[in-house]
């Protein structure tokens, strides 16, 4: 396990790098971009990268930090654009950027974040890392396109999990693959961490879907149906989703939670032979559960 002070110093370093890259490439949106990047965030993807580095016995050096920076910036870009697509009023318990400033400013803010991410990535000067990022960002986008094009259709469980993994797990897979590449991990470790990242990312999104579903902050109005609704619809094909009484269907959220638990158990199977992996997973789950 990474000592708490060490983890804090990694995050401090990441946040210094965020400020530096914005300062060096500032424009009229500088304060907006900093406001967004420093709004309440758990920095889960960078922490995921630090954990992977530690369990492989590596050092959090400049390349690892630039990877974490690029991943956090790309993730932030996807969130700004996601709130436009979902017409979300809230983000991280605060009014969303979209809600405050509208679609047009959100689109260019997302583009600004994406451009900064490319710049961070270029600092690694490593075509293999560039390829890993390109492939996984494309997968993220494909998950989102699949969700957008499939609105108001009810997918089956398998299709839903595939989309869930594509839109959310791909950036965790990206982090794991980059760490393995930078540390020269062998094929067995690459496979193990990649599969672990896929399962962990899927678990992460399912927990998010359950939370949004139970709080009424999901995307039913836009025709995006998450797993609790899919389970509900399977057993009640005649019922109309739009008028659903959430209190009556909490057991479908529970069924989704059971599925998420199965997935996270599987995540652990992938990495159980790696020393420190259990503690890493426990640390990540604790972080997810924190407010
Ligand atoms: C959150 O889903 C959104 C994602 C995981 C991915 C969004 C991706 C895009 C909008 C593609 C844009 C790509 C780039 C490179 C800018 P959610 O709506 O289920 O979660 P939420 O509750 O956090 O909103
Ligand atoms: Mg959303």
């Amino acid at each position: 396990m990474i000592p708490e002070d060490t983890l804090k110093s990694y995050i401090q370093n990441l946040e210094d790098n965020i400020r530096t890259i914005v300062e060096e490439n500032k424009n009229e949106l500088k304060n907006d971009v900093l406001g967004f990047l420093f709004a309440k965030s758990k920095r889960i993807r960078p922490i995921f990268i630090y954990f992977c580095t530690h369990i492989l016995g590596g050092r959090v050096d400049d390349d690892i930090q630039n990877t974490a920076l690029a991943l956090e910036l790309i993730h932030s870009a996807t969130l700004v654009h996601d709130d436009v697509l979902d017409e979300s009023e809230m983000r991280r318990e605060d009014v969303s950027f979209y809600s405050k400033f509208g679609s047009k400013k959100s689109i260019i803010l997302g583009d600004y974040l994406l451009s900064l991410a490319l710049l961070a990535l270029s600092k690694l000067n490593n075509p293999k890392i560039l390829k890993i990022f390109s492939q996984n960002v494309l997968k993220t986008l494909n998950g989102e396109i699949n969700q957008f094009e499939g609105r108001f259709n009810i997918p089956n469980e398998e299709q839903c999990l595939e989309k869930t993994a594509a839109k959310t797990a791909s950036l965790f897979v990206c982090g794991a693959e980059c760490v393995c590449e930078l540390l020269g991990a062998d094929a067995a470790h690459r496979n193990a961490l990649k599969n672990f990242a896929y399962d962990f990312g899927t678990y992460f999104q399912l927990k998010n879907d359950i939370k949004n579903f139970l709080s009424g902050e999901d995307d039913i109005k836009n025709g995006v149906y998450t797993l609790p609704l899919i389970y509900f619809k399977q057993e009640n094909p005649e019922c109309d989703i739009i008028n659903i009484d959430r209190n009556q269907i909490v057991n479908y959220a529970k069924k989704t939670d059971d599925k998420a638990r199965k997935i996270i158990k599987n995540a652990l199977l992938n990495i159980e032979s790696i020393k420190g992996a259990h503690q890493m997973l426990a640390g990540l789950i604790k972080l997810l559960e924190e407010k």
Side-chain angles (χ1 to χ4, degrees):
M1 197 66 184
I2 306 178
E4 212 177 307
D5 281 356
T6 310
L7 188 58
K8 271 194 186 144
S9 74
Y10 295 157
I11 294 169
Q12 185 58 53
N13 187 229
L14 170 85
E15 296 191 339
D16 290 346
N17 291 343
I18 293 178
R19 281 198 188 83
T20 304
I21 201 166
V22 172
E23 195 54 51
E24 285 175 355
N25 301 283
K26 60 181 177 227
N27 55 38
E28 290 84 342
L29 291 190
K30 176 188 145 184
N31 290 334
D32 295 306
V33 89
L34 286 174
F36 189 80
L37 289 167
F38 284 93
K40 198 173 174 210
S41 163
K42 294 183 183 169
R43 309 275 185 231
I44 286 185
R45 287 154 192 81
I47 291 175
F48 182 80
I49 285 183
Y50 305 143
F51 278 160
C52 289
T53 306
H54 264 246
I55 63 169
L56 291 183
R59 215 169 52 80
V60 175
D61 60 10
D62 286 352
D63 277 356
I64 294 284
Q65 280 291 22
N66 274 320
T67 304
L69 175 63
L71 197 63
E72 185 71 352
L73 291 167
I74 288 187
H75 163 63
S76 305
T78 69
L79 291 188
V80 179
H81 285 180
D82 178 70
D83 286 341
V84 177
L85 291 166
D86 295 348
E87 299 167 331
S88 292
E89 299 288 319
M90 302 296 286
R91 168 64 56 195
R92 294 171 177 155
E93 291 164 22
D94 196 1
V95 179
S96 69
F97 192 85
Y98 158 75
S99 184
K100 273 189 240 169
F101 301 106
S103 313
K104 291 183 183 177
K105 192 159 171 171
S106 300
I107 291 169
I108 45 171
L109 186 85
D111 293 345
Y112 182 21
L113 284 162
L114 191 56
S115 310
L116 291 176
L118 293 175
L119 210 55
L121 206 50
S122 73
K123 293 186 184 186
L124 281 123
N125 203 10
N126 184 331
K128 288 195 174 147
I129 296 295
L130 184 59
K131 187 172 177 188
I132 293 169
F133 263 85
S134 311
Q135 288 171 334
N136 284 299
V137 173
L138 196 56
K139 281 186 190 157
T140 306
L141 190 72
N142 285 340
E144 196 65 18
I145 290 173
N146 175 284
Q147 175 171 292
F148 183 76
E149 290 297 315
R151 26 208 221 285
F152 298 104
N153 293 326
I154 300 172
N156 62 32
E157 184 193 56
E158 193 190 338
Q159 291 163 330
C160 176
L161 287 173
E162 208 177 294
K163 175 211 70 180
T164 302
K167 77 171 194 174
T168 302
S170 300
L171 290 190
F172 287 97
V173 170
C174 178
E177 286 190 312
C178 286
V179 170
C180 290
E181 178 59 38
L182 290 169
L183 299 183
D186 61 30
H189 281 98
R190 281 177 195 240
N191 237 348
L193 273 181
K194 184 179 167 182
N195 291 338
F196 168 72
Y198 186 93
D199 287 335
F200 176 74
T202 307
Y203 171 84
F204 176 99
Q205 182 65 39
L206 288 180
K207 292 298 257 188
N208 184 65
D209 291 344
I210 295 168
K211 184 167 81 51
N212 287 352
F213 172 73
L214 292 175
S215 65
E217 280 175 30
D218 56 27
D219 221 6
I220 297 179
K221 69 174 187 315
N222 289 322
V224 177
Y225 307 136
T226 53
L227 205 51
L229 280 167
I230 291 162
Y231 286 148
F232 165 78
K233 202 62 184 161
Q234 274 172 0
E235 289 180 28
N236 306 275
E238 75 295 345
C239 283
D240 185 7
I241 281 181
I242 206 85
N243 298 320
I244 204 155
D245 177 353
R246 284 159 203 269
N247 293 323
Q248 281 181 4
I249 62 162
V250 280
N251 46 332
Y252 297 102
K254 162 87 178 59
K255 191 171 170 185
T256 307
D257 199 56
D258 292 342
K259 183 75 195 177
R261 276 169 207 265
K262 267 192 201 148
I263 290 173
I264 206 68
K265 264 194 187 162
N266 201 47
L268 195 53
L269 288 182
N270 288 306
I271 52 165
E272 63 184 355
S273 63
I274 306 177
K275 203 167 151 252
H278 263 88
Q279 290 96 316
M280 165 170 99
L281 182 59
L284 288 169
I285 290 178
K286 186 163 165 264
L287 195 62
L288 287 193
E289 284 167 0
E290 278 168 14
K291 259 219 136 233

